[in-house]
């Protein structure tokens, strides 16, 4: 690969990065500016948030069950199965709940946002809105962002709670009674862990929306372009979620 | 005629993906003179409309609406000026998630200056003008191609603009659909609207415009009336007017 090609690719990458952060900044500023598009917000909350509930319940249930199963196998030789609730709670609430729920939502919602906006771009609906005097970020990005900022923590809480239920279902099979399981839940956690478990999905929700909107609004090339954009949005938002998870965790560890 | 009654492109150049679309392009649309930009597919006709509206930014040159130049200016600063112009996109570009009525009244709802009753009255009036009033509550997916274009015209008319741009308004329509669209354009012109159309459909162009611009290889190579165009000795123009079998294979 020649230097000019690398140079071009780097330039393209940094230009995209700059535009991504511009979009983030503009969206955050416009969140507090009129018009608020309440109807659009409600529609997006239903489409992006409420309709992802079932997938999050399934994710939480089975992850909680498998976490408990693995923990029980490890703890049983040491007669320490009473710690299973605490292990499931600490792992799910701090880490797996936010990450898994966000990855599931990224797959479901990120691609939907990109496909919808991408189709609007290639069919010139976005241009039509601009000609009609609409601020595209205010109209299309901000309601989705607000919906996700509210929905993602709620979905994570549901995922966490269901995973604890799943953990109990598994533990019950190993003779652990409900009181022992519930009493064990907070034993490896502090209050800051609950905050961590709620802050992460807020960031992840922002990443999913911004990535979906950025790629969607920059879609080129008809139906094939929309398909590629949707795929790209899911991959990119998933990678960004995993990367930012590390950095957010690191920040919480520093301030522990 | 003053400069405030025109939309102009001055020495405009535009490149996309390394391909030069326009080079040193001068163009002026005066109030009351209906124009058509002609050229083969891919010549850059739609790009001209998007540049005139400020949807695209040129590499060089400038676009002025009246006395104000919009090139390099943030979009929010010329929103008011742009309200003098409306566009009917090639595919209609109707908003999928809204009904026909909501599409037509979109700008009025966004502005929020009029009451719901007043907006509904305007919507009905515009839909009646284009002859699709019964489609008020339908969604764009339920409309035919011709109906979509007529609804798009109604949407363009809702805010009472001075200039209306048409991007290939008759492409993909049957002869009756073409006739209806031409008829609508003539009625708009009779009501004092200035139209600018880009097309490669000569019949529609000659029926609805007084002046013609011919675009070839990123440059304007002809500008004049229908008669002047027919008498032009430029081979590109003659080939466009009367394509021969040989020229199709060149």
């Amino acid at each position: 690969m020649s230097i000019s090609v690398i140079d071009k690719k780097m330039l393209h990458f940094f230009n995209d990065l700059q535009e991504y952060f511009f979009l983030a900044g503009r969206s955050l500023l416009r969140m507090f500016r009129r018009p608020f598009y309440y109807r659009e917000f409600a529609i997006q909350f239903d489409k992006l948030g409420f309709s992802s509930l079932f997938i999050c319940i399934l994710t939480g249930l089975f992850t909680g069950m498998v976490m408990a199963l693995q923990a029980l196998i490890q703890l049983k030789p040491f007669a320490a199965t009473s710690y299973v609730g605490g292990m499931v709670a600490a792992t799910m609430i701090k880490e797996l709940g936010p990450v898994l729920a966000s990855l599931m939502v990224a797959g479901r919602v990120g691609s939907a946002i990109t496909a919808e906006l991408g189709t609007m771009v290639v069919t010139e609906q976005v241009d039509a809105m601009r000609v009609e005097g609409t601020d595209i970020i205010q109209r299309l990005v901000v309601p989705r962002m607000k919906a996700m900022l509210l929905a993602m923590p709620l979905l994570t809480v549901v995922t966490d709670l269901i995973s604890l239920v799943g953990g109990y279902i598994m533990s019950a099979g190993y003779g652990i009674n409900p009181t022992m399981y519930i009493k064990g839940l907070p034993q490896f956690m502090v209050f800051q862990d609950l905050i961590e478990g709620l802050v992460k999905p807020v960031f992840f929700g922002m990443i999913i929306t911004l990535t979906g909107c950025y790629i969607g609004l920059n879609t080129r090339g008809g139906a094939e372009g929309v398909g590629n954009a949707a795929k790209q949005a899911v991959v990119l938002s998933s990678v960004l979620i995993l990367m930012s998870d590390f950095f957010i965790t690191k920040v919480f560890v520093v301030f522990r | 005629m003053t400069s405030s009654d025109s939309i102009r492109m001055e020495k405009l150049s535009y490149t996309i993906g390394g391909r030069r679309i326009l080079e040193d392009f001068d163009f002026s649309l005066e109030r009351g003179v209906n124009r058509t930009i002609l050229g083969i597919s891919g010549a850059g006709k739609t790009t001209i409309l998007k540049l005139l509206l400020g949807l695209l930014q040129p590499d060089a040159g400038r676009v002025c609406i009246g006395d104000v130049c919009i090139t390099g200016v943030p979009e929010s600063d010329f929103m008011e000026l742009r309200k003098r112009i409306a566009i009917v996109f090639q595919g209609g570009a109707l908003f999928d998630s809204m009904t026909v009525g909501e599409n037509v009244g979109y700008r009025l709802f966004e502005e929020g200056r009029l009451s719901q009753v007043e907006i509904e009255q305007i919507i009905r009036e515009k839909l009646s003008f284009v002859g699709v009033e019964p489609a008020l509550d339908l969604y764009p997916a339920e409309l035919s191609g011709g109906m979509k274009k007529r609804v798009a015209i109604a949407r363009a008319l809702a805010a009472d603009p001075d200039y209306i741009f048409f991007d290939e308004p008759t492409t993909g329509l049957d002869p009756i659909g073409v006739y209806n669209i031409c008829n609508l354009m003539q009625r708009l012109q009779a009501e004092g609207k200035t139209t600018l159309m880009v097309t490669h459909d000569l019949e529609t162009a000659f029926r609805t415009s007084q002046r013609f611009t011919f675009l070839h290889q990123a440059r304007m190579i002809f500008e004049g009336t229908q008669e002047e165009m027919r008498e032009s000795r430029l081979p590109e123009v003659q080939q466009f007017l009367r394509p021969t079998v040989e020229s199709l294979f060149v």
Side-chain angles (χ1 to χ4, degrees):
Chain A
M1 200 183 285
S2 69
I3 295 291
S4 66
V5 174
I6 296 170
D7 184 48
K8 210 172 169 182
K9 280 190 185 295
M10 291 291 278
L11 204 67
H12 194 70
F13 170 76
F14 283 112
N15 183 52
D16 271 343
L17 199 66
Q18 175 183 292
E19 291 299 319
Y20 186 89
F21 281 106
F22 275 157
L23 179 68
R26 287 183 187 134
S27 309
L28 288 172
L29 282 175
R30 280 165 174 79
M31 280 178 73
F32 308 101
R33 214 183 276 171
R34 285 176 187 279
F36 290 123
Y37 295 109
Y38 295 108
R39 184 172 166 241
E40 186 68 14
F41 165 74
I43 291 169
Q44 293 305 329
F45 185 76
D46 178 50
K47 259 167 61 173
L48 309 180
F50 192 71
S51 53
S52 302
L53 194 59
F54 184 64
I55 201 170
C56 285
I57 289 173
L58 281 181
T59 307
L61 183 70
F62 287 101
T63 312
M65 284 167 74
V66 82
M67 285 302 301
L69 182 61
Q70 293 284 14
L72 286 163
I73 292 167
Q74 301 296 323
L75 295 171
K76 205 173 175 188
F78 307 102
T81 49
S82 60
Y83 292 115
V84 69
M87 285 181 74
V88 172
T91 324
M92 287 306 296
I93 291 171
K94 279 166 67 178
E95 201 54 57
L96 285 184
V99 171
L100 289 180
S102 301
L103 288 176
M104 297 311 284
V105 173
R108 191 185 174 282
V109 167
S111 57
I113 292 175
T114 307
E116 190 179 354
L117 297 189
T119 306
M120 286 183 76
V121 169
V122 299
T123 56
E124 296 180 314
Q125 290 178 53
V126 170
D127 282 342
M129 275 190 175
R130 286 170 67 193
V131 175
E132 298 285 335
T134 302
D135 180 339
I136 291 304
I137 296 176
Q138 187 94 35
R139 182 74 168 78
L140 297 175
V141 181
V142 171
R144 286 170 172 79
M145 176 97 103
K146 283 180 179 169
M148 280 298 279
L149 289 182
L150 182 63
M152 208 54 241
L154 292 175
L155 287 170
T156 304
V157 169
V158 172
T159 309
D160 291 346
L161 291 175
I162 296 292
S163 71
L164 298 181
V165 173
Y168 174 69
I169 293 170
M170 218 56 235
S171 308
Y174 280 77
I176 293 169
N177 67 52
T179 317
M180 194 197 293
Y181 182 81
I182 290 168
K183 271 191 175 170
L185 290 179
Q187 59 193 337
F188 299 123
M189 290 181 69
V190 290
F191 182 70
Q192 192 189 306
D193 295 335
L194 294 177
I195 305 291
E196 187 178 340
L198 284 175
V199 168
K200 280 181 179 177
V202 172
F203 277 97
F204 298 160
M206 203 157 77
I207 287 170
I208 294 167
T209 321
L210 280 175
T211 309
C213 290
Y214 179 75
I215 296 176
L217 290 174
N218 287 290
T219 302
R220 299 281 175 274
E224 195 186 351
V226 174
N228 286 336
K231 185 174 65 185
Q232 202 184 340
V234 175
V235 173
L236 187 61
S237 48
S238 302
V239 171
L240 287 177
I241 285 169
L242 295 171
M243 281 167 66
S244 60
D245 181 44
F246 168 74
F247 290 107
I248 298 168
T249 307
K250 189 79 183 156
V251 169
F252 273 94
V253 168
V254 169
F255 289 103
R256 206 173 174 94
Chain B
M1 189 73 59
T2 63
S3 63
S4 62
D5 288 330
S6 68
I7 302 175
R8 300 180 312 282
M9 281 178 153
E10 296 167 2
K11 297 271 173 227
L12 208 95
S13 295
Y14 184 74
T15 311
I16 187 163
R19 188 179 149 230
R20 180 131 291 200
I21 306 291
L22 293 173
E23 193 167 1
D24 277 340
F25 190 79
D26 287 306
F27 179 78
S28 177
L29 177 68
E30 297 87 14
R31 189 91 192 267
V33 182
N34 303 303
R35 282 180 180 270
T36 291
I37 299 172
L38 294 162
I40 58 167
S41 295
K45 304 187 294 294
T46 302
T47 306
I48 292 175
L49 294 186
K50 291 190 175 178
L51 285 161
L52 282 170
L53 284 160
L55 294 172
L56 297 173
Q57 287 296 320
D59 303 330
R62 59 183 194 168
V63 176
C64 302
I65 302 174
D67 298 323
V68 182
C69 290
I70 61 168
T71 304
V73 176
E75 202 165 294
S76 54
D77 292 356
F78 59 87
M79 284 298 193
E80 279 303 313
L81 272 176
R82 199 149 71 181
K83 284 179 183 171
R84 292 177 61 194
I85 313 167
I87 180 167
V88 178
F89 285 97
Q90 189 171 351
L94 299 178
F95 309 129
D96 294 332
S97 57
M98 298 179 199
T99 64
V100 165
E102 287 167 339
N103 263 283
V104 175
Y106 180 81
R107 184 182 283 192
L108 304 173
F109 285 121
E110 283 282 298
E111 287 174 355
R113 285 188 290 109
L114 301 174
S115 69
Q116 179 86 15
V117 178
E118 286 170 314
I119 294 174
E120 278 174 15
Q121 196 181 332
I122 293 171
I123 292 170
R124 286 185 186 281
E125 191 185 300
K126 301 304 175 193
L127 284 175
S128 162
F129 181 83
V130 298
V132 285
E133 203 183 346
L136 182 73
D137 295 319
L138 297 181
Y139 282 89
E142 298 170 285
L143 305 177
S144 68
M147 282 172 91
K148 277 183 189 165
K149 294 217 168 150
R150 282 193 277 168
V151 173
I153 294 174
R155 183 174 69 185
L157 291 175
D160 197 24
D162 297 328
Y163 302 91
I164 305 177
F165 297 170
F166 290 87
D167 185 4
E168 305 274 7
T170 54
T171 303
L173 298 185
D174 58 44
I176 297 167
V178 173
Y179 173 81
N180 285 333
I181 296 292
C182 288
N183 216 3
L184 268 174
M185 287 176 73
Q186 286 164 341
R187 282 167 62 198
L188 290 173
Q189 290 161 359
E191 288 195 354
K193 308 288 182 202
T194 303
T195 61
L196 169 64
M197 175 169 60
V198 300
T199 187
H200 48 236
D201 178 0
L202 282 172
E203 193 191 331
T204 309
F206 289 152
R207 278 179 60 188
T208 56
S209 299
Q210 288 104 47
R211 293 196 75 82
F212 304 87
T213 299
F214 190 85
L215 200 64
H216 182 72
Q217 290 183 349
R219 289 179 181 275
M220 177 170 72
I221 58 165
F222 171 84
E223 205 284 319
T225 62
Q226 185 178 337
E227 289 69 34
E228 287 166 346
M229 192 173 183
R230 288 192 193 283
E231 287 162 15
S232 167
R233 294 182 175 214
L234 289 167
E236 294 86 0
V237 174
Q238 283 308 315
Q239 192 179 315
F240 188 78
L241 290 174
R242 285 184 284 276
T244 59
V245 175
E246 293 81 30
S247 70
L248 293 174
F249 291 99
V250 170

